[in-house]
């Protein structure tokens, strides 16, 4: 039996299939055999000075001020000198168009200074309210119906908030009723007197009035449908801003040679409702 190191003619000239590739991870080998951690997790003492980068974005940066659109500028050079005296050379930029001179202030302080100057001089201009000064509307849900608006306003003031107008659901109903009164009573000769009377009504009386009007409309609609020879029903389903599906039921019929279309029902349904479920809901 010959060893693998033998010079036997059987092994001469035969190529071995074994090969050695370089170890890519050899550079990670360390001669240190201690148990010290490779990464030091202790906090290092660094200089707290942060070097600002031109690509670093400060999320607290004030939003840009809205532009000022100024008309009827005859002497542009003189007007520009006045603006420079008001806010400085770097306080604004200008752009001329056929209709306006667009002045873009740099910052809210410069915007206020330029706007005050234009108002004091009765200049012809328009602009927009800065984003930081714009009010926003808040809706508070799941409050008990007995919660008084005065209690809510007091709580807001105690928290340091400033509010413009606080409207409850009942007060909103009164406001909507007044807005729609011009259409509801447009054929009445004493429309103005009716609207004036509604304005002086307490909220509870307004709700009762709305319910009475609803009853009268329903009775009149039933009378018209009973007198019609034919009528058709139209269904329309859509999802509103609250992500709830609403089913609107309309009816079309002819009354005294006039084609009418009336809303008879508005129903909240499931977004997965089938035709059978809609039919059962409609006939209830």
């Amino acid at each position: 039996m010959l060893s693998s190191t033998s010079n036997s003619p059987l092994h001469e000239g035969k190529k071995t299939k074994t090969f050695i590739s370089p170890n890519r991870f050899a550079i990670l080998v360390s001669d240190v055999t201690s148990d010290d951690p490779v990464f030091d997790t202790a906090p290092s003492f660094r200089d707290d000075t942060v070097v600002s980068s031109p690509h670093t974005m400060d999320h607290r940066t004030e939003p840009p001020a809205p532009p000022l659109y100024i008309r009827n500028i005859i002497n542009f050079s003189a007007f520009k000198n006045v603006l420079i005296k008001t806010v400085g050379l770097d306080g604004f930029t200008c752009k001329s168009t056929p209709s306006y001179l667009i002045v873009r202030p740099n910052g809210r302080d410069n915007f206020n200074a330029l706007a005050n100057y234009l108002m004091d001089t009765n200049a012809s201009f328009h602009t927009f309210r800065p984003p930081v000064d714009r009010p926003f509307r808040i809706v508070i849900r799941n409050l008990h119906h007995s919660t008084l608006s005065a209690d809510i306003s007091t709580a807001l003031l105690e928290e340091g908030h400033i509010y413009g107008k606080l409207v409850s659901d009942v007060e909103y109903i009164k406001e909507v009723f007044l807005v729609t009164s011009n259409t509801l009573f447009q054929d009445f000769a004493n429309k103005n007197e009716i609207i004036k009377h509604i304005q002086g009504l307490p909220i509870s009386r307004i709700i009762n009035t709305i319910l009475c009007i609803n009853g009268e409309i329903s009775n009149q609609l039933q009378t018209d449908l009973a007198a019609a020879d034919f009528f058709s029903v139209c269904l329309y389903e859509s999802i509103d801003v609250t992500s709830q599906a609403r089913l609107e039921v309309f009816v079309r019929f002819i009354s005294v040679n006039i084609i009418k279309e009336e809303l008879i029902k508005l129903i909240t349904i499931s977004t997965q409702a089938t035709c059978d479920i809609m039919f059962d809901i409609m006939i209830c």
Side-chain angles (χ1 to χ4, degrees):
M1 186 178 214
L2 298 175
S3 65
S4 59
T5 57
S6 172
N7 295 328
S8 171
L10 296 176
H11 292 275
E12 292 180 0
K14 182 181 291 188
K15 296 182 179 179
T16 178
K17 296 182 179 180
T18 304
F19 62 92
I20 300 176
S21 62
N23 186 1
R24 295 182 299 172
F25 306 100
I27 59 174
L28 300 179
V29 177
S30 175
D31 296 332
V32 180
T33 59
S34 63
D35 294 332
D36 294 336
V38 177
F39 300 101
D40 187 8
T41 58
S44 59
F45 296 94
R46 298 179 303 173
D47 187 6
D48 292 334
T49 305
V50 178
V51 180
S52 60
S53 171
H55 301 288
T56 302
M57 180 180 296
D58 187 1
H59 295 285
R60 296 172 297 176
T61 303
E62 182 180 352
L68 299 159
Y69 298 86
I70 310 172
R71 301 175 63 96
N72 303 327
I73 301 298
I74 300 176
N75 191 339
F76 172 76
S77 179
F79 183 74
K80 181 181 179 182
N81 292 333
V82 173
L83 297 184
I84 293 175
K85 292 181 181 179
T86 304
V87 297
L89 182 62
D90 298 331
F92 68 96
T93 58
C94 290
K95 179 181 178 181
S96 180
T97 65
S99 302
Y100 301 98
L101 173 64
I102 304 176
V103 178
R104 299 185 181 276
N106 295 330
R108 186 171 58 166
D109 294 337
N110 293 333
F111 170 83
N112 294 333
L114 294 177
N116 291 333
Y117 168 77
L118 295 174
M119 288 187 291
D120 293 339
T121 57
N122 295 324
S124 177
F125 78 101
H126 73 271
T127 184
F128 308 97
R129 182 176 293 183
V132 294
D133 296 335
R134 295 175 186 171
F136 50 90
R137 179 178 297 179
I138 298 178
V139 178
I140 306 176
R141 298 183 180 273
N142 301 325
L143 291 178
H144 195 267
H145 62 84
S146 62
T147 304
L148 300 178
S149 301
D151 296 339
I152 300 176
S153 60
T154 302
L156 291 174
L157 291 175
E158 290 176 353
E159 295 294 332
H161 301 290
I162 301 176
Y163 66 93
K165 186 177 181 181
L166 190 64
V167 181
S168 63
D169 289 344
V170 181
E171 294 170 339
Y172 184 73
I173 291 175
K174 179 178 180 180
E175 183 178 346
V176 172
F177 189 37
L178 289 173
V179 172
T180 57
S181 295
N182 289 322
T183 303
L184 292 173
F185 308 108
Q186 61 181 354
D187 297 331
F188 290 72
N190 58 340
K191 181 184 73 172
N192 295 331
E193 297 178 3
I194 296 176
I195 295 177
K196 185 177 180 180
H197 180 69
I198 294 174
Q199 291 175 344
L201 286 176
I203 296 177
S204 59
R205 288 284 304 277
I206 289 181
I207 295 178
N208 294 332
T209 303
I210 293 174
L211 294 176
C212 292
I213 294 176
N214 179 65
E216 291 293 332
I217 294 176
S218 298
N219 294 334
Q220 184 63 44
L221 181 57
Q222 292 177 8
T223 302
D224 294 341
L225 288 176
D229 295 332
F230 305 97
F231 67 88
S232 62
V233 178
C234 177
L235 304 180
Y236 178 74
E237 185 268 339
S238 63
I239 298 178
D240 61 10
V241 294
T242 62
S243 299
Q244 292 182 333
R246 308 288 187 180
L247 178 64
E248 302 172 11
V249 183
F250 294 91
V251 61
R252 292 191 181 101
F253 60 96
I254 297 178
S255 176
V256 195
N257 297 327
I258 299 176
I259 299 178
K260 292 186 176 182
E261 182 179 85
E262 300 289 347
L263 174 67
I264 60 175
K265 189 175 289 188
L266 180 62
I267 314 167
T268 300
I269 62 175
S270 172
T271 54
Q272 299 179 351
T274 61
C275 296
D276 295 336
I277 296 177
M278 290 185 182
F279 179 78
D280 295 336
I281 295 175
M282 183 186 65
I283 62 177
C284 292

